[in-house]
Amino acid sequence: MRRDFLKTAAAAGAGMASLGAFAQTANAVGLRGNPNDTYVMNVMVSGVEYWFPVYEMFKSLGKSLGVKTRYSGTPEYDVNKQLASFEQQLARKPAGIFLHPMNPDPFIEPIARAAAMGIPVVTFAADSPNSKRVSFVTSDNFREGAAAADAIATAMGGKGEYAVLENPGQDNHDRRISAFVDRMKAKYPNMKLVGRAATNQDANKAYQATLSLIQANPNLGALFMPEANTALGAAQAKVESKKDIKVMCCDVNAKILDMIKSGDVFGSINPNQGMQGFAGMMLLFMAKNTALIDPMNDAKRAGNNPMSVPFLDNGLSVVSKANADDFYWDKYLTRRGTKGINE
C-alpha cells in the first residue's frame, strides 16, 4: 500500500514538473493562445474564499498565454443552481471550463455535451469520474484525511475519543472523512470514534451538533470536518463548553486562520490552491490546443484528445500556528497587486 502511494506521488510529481517545464518553454518561445478564447472557472458557493487563490493562478497563467479568463458560479450550495450556472457558461461557448462539480453524477451529461461541442472540461477539488472530463486536479483527498488523522492522533498521544462532522454526497468531502476514519482505525487503535453528524457546511448545524456530541461524550478530545465553514460552528461550541477539543478542518479562510492562531481551531489541511489553478489552466490550454501535442500513441487514429493527464496531485499543506500567517488571502492579494476574482 505504501509502495503504491509512493509510486502515485512520484508520478504526480513528475506530472507537475512536466507542466512547469512546459510553462517555462511556452514563455521562452512566446507561445500564445487565441486572444479571443475565454477559459472559465465554475464553482458552487462562489463567495467562499477557497476559490480565490485558485482563480488567481488560473487567471495569471491565462494572461501569460494571451487568453481571457472568467470566474463564474452560484452563491448557493445547490447542485441544480450550479448546473444552471454551468449551462449558462456552456452557452457562451468558452474555450474550456475548469469545474468544481458539487456532486459527480449530475454533471455527467452536461460535460458530455461540452465534449461534443469541442469544449474540454477539467475538474478540480471534486471530481465527476464517470464523465468525459479530460483531467482532474486536486490534492489527494485520501492523503488529506490521513494527514489530519496523523496530526490529531500525534497531538493526543495516540489515545482518546474523536468524532467527525460531514457533508454526505460531496465526493471530495466523503473521501477526506473516510480516509480520516480509516487511518485512525489502521494506525491508532486506541483512538475511538464516538460520533458522526451530517452538518452540510452549515456553521449553525455544526454548532448544535458539536454541543450534542460533547454532551453525549464528555471525554471527546477531537473533531474533524472536511471543510472550513463547519469548523466555525464547531469551534464556537468548543469554546463555550470550555472543553479541550482539537477542532481540525480542511481549507482555510481569514476567520479560520485567526482561530488557529488563537488556539480555538487546532489546525487545517489546505490544498495548494495556486498550483491547482495554474495546473488547471495549463491542462485546459493543452486540451484545447491539441496541435501542440504529437504523442507516440494512437490518439489520432482513435480520435482521442492527445492531452492525457487523468489525474494530477497539486499538493497540500498542514496549517498550524507556526505557519498560519502564510495563508491570508488579503496579504497575498496585496503582494500580487491584482483585483482577484474581479478581473
Side-chain angles (χ1 to χ4, degrees):
M1 183 75 173
R2 175 69 176 167
R3 190 178 297 125
D4 290 343
F5 170 75
L6 289 175
K7 288 180 180 177
T8 301
M16 296 301 284
S18 297
L19 286 175
F22 181 89
Q24 290 176 350
T25 301
N27 289 332
V29 302
L31 178 65
R32 306 287 281 178
N34 185 331
N36 295 319
D37 281 352
T38 299
Y39 293 81
V40 177
M41 179 169 152
N42 185 262
V43 300
M44 52 83 178
V45 196
S46 55
V48 169
E49 191 176 295
Y50 176 90
W51 313 122
F52 302 168
V54 179
Y55 183 69
E56 183 68 15
M57 285 290 93
F58 182 83
K59 172 186 66 178
S60 179
L61 182 56
K63 287 182 178 179
S64 296
L65 295 170
V67 299
K68 300 173 186 176
T69 58
R70 182 166 63 245
Y71 182 77
S72 69
T74 176
E76 298 89 356
Y77 186 74
D78 185 318
V79 68
N80 290 320
K81 290 185 178 179
Q82 192 192 3
L83 284 165
S85 173
F86 182 88
E87 294 285 2
Q88 290 168 1
Q89 296 304 320
L90 193 59
R92 298 174 71 175
K93 298 182 180 178
I97 301 177
F98 192 41
L99 171 69
H100 174 90
M102 179 177 164
N103 301 120
D105 290 347
F107 280 91
I108 292 175
E109 192 277 331
I111 292 174
R113 276 191 287 111
M117 294 168 65
I119 301 172
V121 174
V122 170
T123 55
F124 72 101
D127 194 16
S128 180
N130 296 318
S131 72
K132 290 187 176 181
R133 52 85 167 148
V134 295
S135 189
F136 173 40
V137 185
T138 190
S139 58
D140 188 320
N141 299 137
F142 294 112
R143 189 154 63 99
E144 289 172 343
D150 288 344
I152 287 175
T154 299
M156 294 177 67
K159 184 178 181 180
E161 297 181 358
Y162 71 95
V164 295
L165 304 179
E166 51 194 326
N167 312 307
Q170 185 167 325
D171 178 66
N172 59 327
H173 290 182
D174 289 340
R175 293 183 184 192
R176 288 169 177 171
I177 291 294
S178 65
F180 178 85
V181 174
D182 289 347
R183 182 74 158 191
M184 286 293 198
K185 289 179 179 178
K187 191 174 180 180
Y188 307 102
N190 293 321
M191 295 293 296
K192 182 182 178 183
L193 176 62
V194 295
R196 308 177 72 134
T199 51
N200 293 39
Q201 303 195 59
D202 186 315
N204 291 324
K205 288 182 180 178
Y207 171 78
Q208 295 296 336
T210 301
L211 290 178
S212 297
L213 286 166
I214 290 172
Q215 184 175 13
N217 305 280
N219 295 320
L220 183 66
L223 270 172
F224 175 64
M225 55 232 61
E227 39 69 46
N229 203 48
T230 298
L232 300 176
Q236 182 182 348
K238 165 232 170 141
V239 170
E240 291 180 6
S241 69
K242 298 182 180 179
K243 293 282 189 177
D244 182 18
I245 299 172
K246 300 187 186 308
V247 175
M248 189 162 197
C249 63
C250 291
D251 309 338
V252 296
N253 55 43
K255 289 182 179 178
I256 291 296
L257 291 168
D258 288 346
M259 295 172 91
I260 289 174
K261 291 173 69 174
S262 71
D264 294 341
V265 170
F266 172 67
S268 180
I269 305 297
N270 198 58
N272 188 336
Q273 297 145 287
M275 198 65 239
Q276 201 168 80
F278 186 95
M281 180 69 241
M282 185 60 71
L283 291 168
L284 278 177
F285 186 83
M286 291 191 295
K288 182 65 176 179
N289 298 279
T290 55
L292 294 171
I293 308 168
D294 185 17
M296 190 182 72
N297 62 26
D298 66 340
K300 185 177 293 186
R301 181 190 301 275
N304 296 331
N305 191 318
M307 201 293 289
S308 180
V309 184
F311 169 73
L312 195 150
D313 188 339
N314 56 251
L316 59 85
S317 298
V318 180
V319 185
S320 65
K321 285 184 180 181
N323 62 357
D325 280 330
D326 297 330
F327 294 85
Y328 281 91
W329 164 248
D330 57 345
K331 295 178 182 179
Y332 175 65
L333 196 60
T334 298
R335 172 166 63 82
R336 289 189 54 76
T338 76
K339 297 179 181 179
I341 63 171
N342 295 314
E343 63 178 26

